[in-house]
Amino acid sequence: MNLAAATNESLADISNTLIYSSMAVYTLAFFAHIAEWVFGSRSKVGRTAAALKQDTATVKVQVAKQGGTAVLERPTVVTRSAAGTRDVPDGPGAAGGTFKGDLWGRIAVSLTVVAFAVQAGGVVARALSVQRAPWGNMYEFSITFSTVAVGAYLILLALRKNVRWIGLMLVTTVLLDLGIATTTLYTDSDQLVPALHSYWLWIHVSTAIICGAVFYLGAVGTLLYLFRDSYENKIANGGTPGKFATSVLERLPAAKSLDTFSYRINAAVFPLWTFTIIAGAIWAGDAWGRYWGWDPKEVWSFITWVAYAAYLHARATAGWKGRKAAYLALVAFGCWLFNYYGVNIFVTGKHSYAGV
């Protein structure tokens, strides 16, 4: 074995070690998020105060008037992002507005940052071991996908967006993704087939990974919107949600906030998904001499594009806002998942060269 081969093998071992180490830290972050939700459960007094605040229809302000004061009523501005949206304030978050809950939440985020750095190091080491872009097979795609998903989440937090409620579900999903990648999808470091030796690998696949990661965040927001919307509907109709539903769902952002978050995320990344398909077609023209050949991967990429286009169109159509549009968003993300896992594993085509 020559020196270069030994170095590459050593880097591959380092990559594997870092990926497993990140899983250990993500596990700690998972338990910290669990603690955040548990210790963030609000007392009866806190819930009563929140309910009174929610029932307040107007906000009164003191203004100076001819040497005295007058009390004016400032109308509440209501932004309706979905049909039937109620004017309900956002919940206090997973921490529940408590000091202990917030402390555990901060610990969870800190651990997530550490795990992200370790995992990113594993991806870089994998790239160095094969001396190419680290997404030539499903294993490499998976570890990079979850890295980008966590990175997008941390960027939103750095921008002071109220998204810490995603943390528990995100960390859980990342652990599942890495577990499947390391046990089922793992492939030894190797070079690519000639068709993949192109700078389009960096362009096309990297944008596909970014799109999938951001679409995932949108899907989480959509799923939680459906639960929160049902919770608000039940309360509005005089029902009494269960204790678990009350403890969890009351702390999430309002349904209208979750709906708006999901829409903005999906709308922002949709143009990039369009570019991904176009870039893939150009690469196919260079590699196979045709831009489109109805390969299963190409077909499902287009189906995913149509599904997200239908969702965005539904959002712009009055009769299809709210839950109907949310179902479309989940179907669209389901198409993306099948395009990755289903097509790669169960369907044979030109994109089957990388194995699992």
Side-chain angles (χ1 to χ4, degrees):
M1 181 181 296
N2 57 37
L3 180 60
T7 301
N8 292 342
E9 183 175 344
S10 177
L11 286 170
D13 291 338
I14 292 174
S15 173
N16 295 339
T17 301
L18 289 174
I19 293 300
Y20 280 109
S21 298
S22 70
M23 292 175 66
V25 183
Y26 278 127
T27 301
L28 295 177
F30 169 80
F31 285 115
H33 273 301
I34 291 291
E36 176 188 19
W37 281 94
V38 170
F39 291 112
S41 296
R42 295 184 297 162
S43 65
K44 183 177 181 181
V45 174
R47 290 175 183 169
T48 302
L52 291 174
K53 179 180 178 181
Q54 178 175 323
D55 291 338
T56 303
T58 59
V59 180
K60 296 186 177 181
V61 295
Q62 296 285 338
V63 296
K65 182 179 181 182
Q66 295 181 354
T69 61
V71 178
L72 300 180
E73 289 189 350
R74 185 176 65 195
T76 302
V77 179
V78 180
T79 302
R80 301 191 180 276
S81 58
T85 298
R86 295 157 298 277
D87 179 24
V88 177
D90 290 345
T98 66
F99 174 79
K100 184 175 289 188
D102 183 64
L103 175 62
W104 280 106
R106 292 176 182 276
I107 292 173
V109 171
S110 299
L111 289 170
T112 302
V113 171
V114 174
F116 166 76
V118 174
Q119 185 182 5
V123 173
V124 172
R126 178 77 176 196
L128 294 175
S129 72
V130 294
Q131 299 179 6
R132 57 167 171 78
W135 41 76
N137 50 60
M138 288 184 69
Y139 168 75
E140 295 173 355
F141 191 102
S142 293
I143 62 175
T144 307
F145 165 78
S146 53
T147 304
V148 175
V150 175
Y153 165 71
L154 294 178
I155 288 174
L156 290 175
L157 284 178
L159 295 175
R160 300 186 180 278
K161 302 297 182 181
N162 178 26
V163 294
R164 205 164 82 186
W165 45 270
I166 297 178
L168 178 58
M169 186 171 291
L170 174 65
V171 170
T172 303
T173 305
V174 169
L175 283 172
L176 290 173
D177 174 74
L178 293 179
I180 294 173
T182 54
T183 58
T184 304
L185 304 178
Y186 182 78
T187 304
D188 290 329
S189 300
D190 199 0
Q191 294 303 311
L192 300 175
V193 297
L196 292 181
H197 285 289
S198 171
Y199 60 88
W200 283 107
L201 175 66
W202 292 90
I203 300 173
H204 170 64
V205 184
S206 64
T207 55
I209 292 173
I210 293 172
C211 289
V214 179
F215 279 148
Y216 164 78
L217 296 180
V220 171
T222 300
L223 184 63
L224 293 180
Y225 156 74
L226 291 173
F227 283 111
R228 173 75 189 203
D229 185 62
S230 297
Y231 170 78
E232 292 180 7
N233 278 334
K234 191 166 189 176
I235 292 178
N237 294 327
T240 303
K243 185 175 296 186
F244 177 79
T246 300
S247 176
V248 173
L249 296 178
E250 72 176 358
R251 287 183 273 165
L252 291 175
K256 67 175 182 180
S257 298
L258 291 169
D259 180 62
T260 301
F261 169 80
S262 303
Y263 170 67
R264 289 176 177 174
I265 285 288
N266 290 326
V269 79
F270 179 73
L272 187 61
W273 182 247
T274 304
F275 170 79
T276 301
I277 296 176
I278 295 173
I282 296 174
W283 187 12
D286 291 342
W288 301 318
R290 91 291 187 278
Y291 295 103
W292 189 269
W294 297 103
D295 182 75
K297 180 71 71 173
E298 297 169 349
V299 171
W300 276 96
S301 294
F302 179 68
I303 290 175
T304 303
W305 184 91
V306 171
Y308 273 107
Y311 162 73
L312 295 176
H313 176 72
R315 287 285 316 203
T317 305
W320 275 82
K321 289 185 179 180
R323 299 184 69 87
K324 292 181 180 179
Y327 293 138
L328 272 179
L330 292 180
V331 169
F333 184 68
C335 291
W336 189 91
L337 283 179
F338 181 79
N339 185 34
Y340 174 54
Y341 286 104
V343 172
N344 284 17
I345 296 175
F346 302 112
V347 183
T348 301
K350 284 186 173 292
H351 287 77
S352 302
Y353 41 70
V356 298

